[in-house]
Structures are given as structure tokens and as C-alpha cells.
Amino acid sequence: MSRILLTGATGLIGGAVLHHALMAKTDAEWVCLVRASDEEAGRQRIAARLGRFTSALNAQRLAQRVDIVAGDFTKADQIADPRLDSVTQILHLAADTSWWAQEKVHRTNHDGTLALARRAARMARLDRFLHVSTAMICGGRPPAMVDETRYPDPDATHLVPYSASKAAAESSLAARFADLPLVVARPSIVLGHSTLGARPGSSILWVIRACDRLRLVAGDRDGTVDIVPIDWVADTLVEMLARSDLAHRTYHLSAGTGSRTRWSDLGRTLDRVDPADGPRHYDEFSARDRATLHRRFTEVFGMDEAIKVAMFRALQAYYRFCELDVTFDNARLLAEGFPPPPALTQYIGRCIETSGEIIDQFREDFAGFAGAPVRGEPTARPRPSQPDGATNRVVARRGSAPG
């Protein structure tokens, strides 16, 4: 019987993973490491997240089927709870997704992941450590197509400390824990649920809606963004745990060439699902053209509230990422029979149906953008891996793209 340790169960993808796995009623046992004062408090946090995917009553029932270990994954090597000793698989999803809190982000995503790896090394039955990273470990100057053989480059320039911390974690895991049965999954942009739309969490749906409302596209109208839905990512992760053999150690959980989204196609789809706001014609601009963006943003949303100023700054960041026009190859997943993700154009209508105001959706994400810089070029670079116990920090003056 599989005994799976899940970190990040109270997050968006973690909740989707648990909901999918528990509803499937397999014989796998799930152990969730949750930051909480005690087990019951942790269980209620799990139930609250599951409630985004099902009724409150069913969420409580599902949460009762999960084993809870109250603790912090960044200190996992100090947790002596014997329930962890029998774990056969780890799905490591927990992360600090803030964009600009570079020291804290690195301590959590790099140092914390190594602490979990040290605890994993003491799990005698462990046969898979599935570490969820990000496709943006490639850095902020990627080729148009990023293949899955790419490994973190210590000299890469990162758009935000988040992706730099994930790149550093991958490098350190490979260098220091070669004996762990490590598999790395790198999602691209995770946005919306293919059937529930924005109900589980709007995530960065506000970005797509704001770009649409502003009628501004960074770069080319026929440029692409690599976007996948929450539920497809969750289902794929669960299936990766279930398979006894995987051919590779790294995989992109991405749209690839088959499901990537072109802005022009998205505009035509939105004209159908949201005709009251059409017809759409997107103007092209450079993401570094702050004046144009500021003028259009002020006309459409206004700058009369602090939350709108923060939203403008965050949107500047996302436009720089969108301008990359990058696709992440998912050939490995497809070759092993995993189903491809639906394109955003197939489920954006459901996302719009279940959405409130754009500014309210941004408020959900606001914590990640607190302290956002007004200007500046992204210069985050991970330093080479340091020996255990050393501080391997990310140097960054500004950040401006998703991880």
C-alpha cells in the first residue's frame, strides 16, 4: 500500500490533488504535513481548502480520511513523528510564491526543501520524491521552445526571486541527494479549473482578464502563453505517483505546442463567451513601455486606491513574462501516455462565468505582490550551490514575472 506524504495541501494545487485522490477512493494513504497548532487545526485547514472543490459537508468527510502531521516542512528534518518513517512517496508542493520577498522566498523554497530531503533520506521505504518546481527555472531569457532536458543554469537571469529559488532548489537536490528517488515536475502557468472555473481559486485569472479589458498585448497578437488548468496538473501529479516506472527524472506539466494559447485565438473565444464586452481588438506594445500601460490602466481601472496601484505594478510584471512568447515542451508526458491538457480557450468561458470583479480577484493574490517595485529591471540570479548549512541566497534588485 502506498503511503504518500503531501506538503502544500492547503494550497490551490494541493487541494486539487487531495480532492482528486480522495474522490478516486484508491487504497493509498495520504499524510499531510500542515502548519497548524495541532492535528485538528490542520484538519480544518485541509477541509477549508477541499471545500473549494466540493460541498462543505463532503469536504469535512474527505478530510477525515487524511492523516495529519502538524509541522513546518522547512523544519521537516527535526520532525521525529514515526508516521513519517513509513512513507513510500512524497509529493512536495509547498512553497512561498511571493515575488519580491527574496530572502524569505529562498529560505523557504531552497533551504526548506533541503530540510525535507534530509528527512526523506531517513524514510526506508521511500520509492519516489516528486518535487514540484516551475518551468521558469529556465530563467528570464528562454528560447522560444524550452525542452525538458534543460537544467538550471546558475548564471541565468531570473525575472523574480521565486523562480530563482526553485532553480537553486533543483540544483541542490541533484547535487546533494543523488540517492533520493527524485522526479521533478515543472508546471507552466496554472490558471483556472476546467470544469469549476474560478471557484477553487481565481489564481492569476485576473491577469488574463485585465489584459483583455485593457486591450493590450505585450509583443505579438499571435504570440503564445503556456497555460494549464489546476485540475489537469493535479490529476497528472497523482498519476505520476501511481506509476511504478517513469522514463525520466524531469517533466514539464505544460500546454506544449498542442494546447498553448495565442492571444488572437483567446480574443475570438472571449468574443463568443463574453460578447457584451466585444468585439475585441488588441493593441500591441512593449512591456517596458510603462507610460502606455499606465495611461491605459488609469483610463480603464483608475489609480484612486492603493490596491489598484499594487495591481498596476503586478501587471507590469506579468506583461514582461507574457512578452517572452515561450512554450514548454511536454513531449515526455505525451510519450508516456499522459493525456494532454485542455487549451485555455476550451475552459475560459467557465472561468468567466464563475468570476467576480477583476480587482477582487487580484486581492486574492495581493499578498504575493506586497512591496512590489515601481521600476527596475529583473536581475535575480541564484548563486552556485553551497554545502549543507551554508546560506545560498538569491541576489535580486527587482522582480517582474511569474514563477
Side-chain angles (χ1 to χ4, degrees), residues 104-272:
K104 178 174 175 286
V105 166
H106 189 81
R107 283 197 304 270
T108 300
N109 298 344
H110 175 269
D111 302 349
T113 295
L114 298 192
L116 180 63
R118 287 192 289 272
R119 184 63 176 90
R122 307 204 305 267
M123 299 174 182
R125 297 180 58 204
L126 190 71
D127 58 31
R128 180 157 300 152
F129 187 129
L130 183 52
H131 171 62
V132 180
S133 184
T134 172
M136 282 304 296
I137 59 96
C138 60
R141 296 172 183 167
M145 176 66 71
V146 178
D147 68 53
E148 293 159 294
T149 63
R150 196 178 189 93
Y151 282 88
D153 178 357
D155 295 321
T157 297
H158 285 265
L159 296 176
V160 285
Y162 169 74
S163 59
S165 71
K166 285 291 195 175
E170 278 198 41
S171 295
S172 292
L173 283 172
R176 305 181 201 179
F177 296 93
D179 292 336
L180 280 182
L182 181 68
V183 175
V184 178
R186 299 169 178 159
S188 56
I189 302 173
V190 183
L191 188 157
H193 191 287
S194 64
T195 59
L196 299 177
R199 178 182 158 185
S202 58
S203 185
I204 58 172
L205 176 59
W206 69 270
V207 176
I208 297 297
R209 296 182 66 206
C211 293
D212 174 56
R213 186 71 59 83
L214 294 172
R215 299 295 196 267
L216 282 178
V217 169
D220 190 337
R221 278 186 289 270
D222 285 326
T224 60
V225 283
D226 195 309
I227 292 174
V228 290
I230 304 159
D231 49 317
W232 177 82
V233 172
D235 296 356
T236 302
L237 290 171
V238 172
E239 177 64 20
M240 291 179 78
L241 289 171
R243 294 197 181 189
S244 58
D245 293 307
L246 291 171
H248 303 282
R249 298 290 293 270
T250 57
Y251 295 84
H252 282 156
L253 274 58
S254 60
T257 55
S259 301
R260 61 188 176 182
T261 300
R262 295 190 184 278
W263 285 104
S264 52
D265 292 337
L266 184 61
R268 286 189 286 270
T269 301
L270 289 172
D271 275 340
R272 292 197 300 271

Side-chain angles (χ1 to χ4, degrees), residues 14-79:
V17 163
L18 262 191
H19 179 253
H20 172 80
L22 296 175
M23 290 297 289
K25 297 181 179 179
T26 66
D27 59 359
E29 296 178 350
W30 287 82
V31 182
C32 294
L33 182 58
V34 185
R35 282 184 302 168
S37 56
D38 54 40
E39 289 185 27
E40 185 53 31
R43 193 177 307 281
Q44 290 310 309
R45 289 193 67 200
I46 295 289
R49 174 52 66 180
L50 289 172
R52 296 288 194 104
F53 299 89
T54 186
S55 68
L57 179 59
N58 194 42
Q60 289 289 340
R61 289 171 175 166
L62 292 175
Q64 294 302 316
R65 294 169 49 194
V66 175
D67 208 355
I68 305 294
V69 174
D72 186 340
F73 88 89
T74 66
K75 300 176 182 177
D77 52 347
Q78 302 173 31
I79 299 176

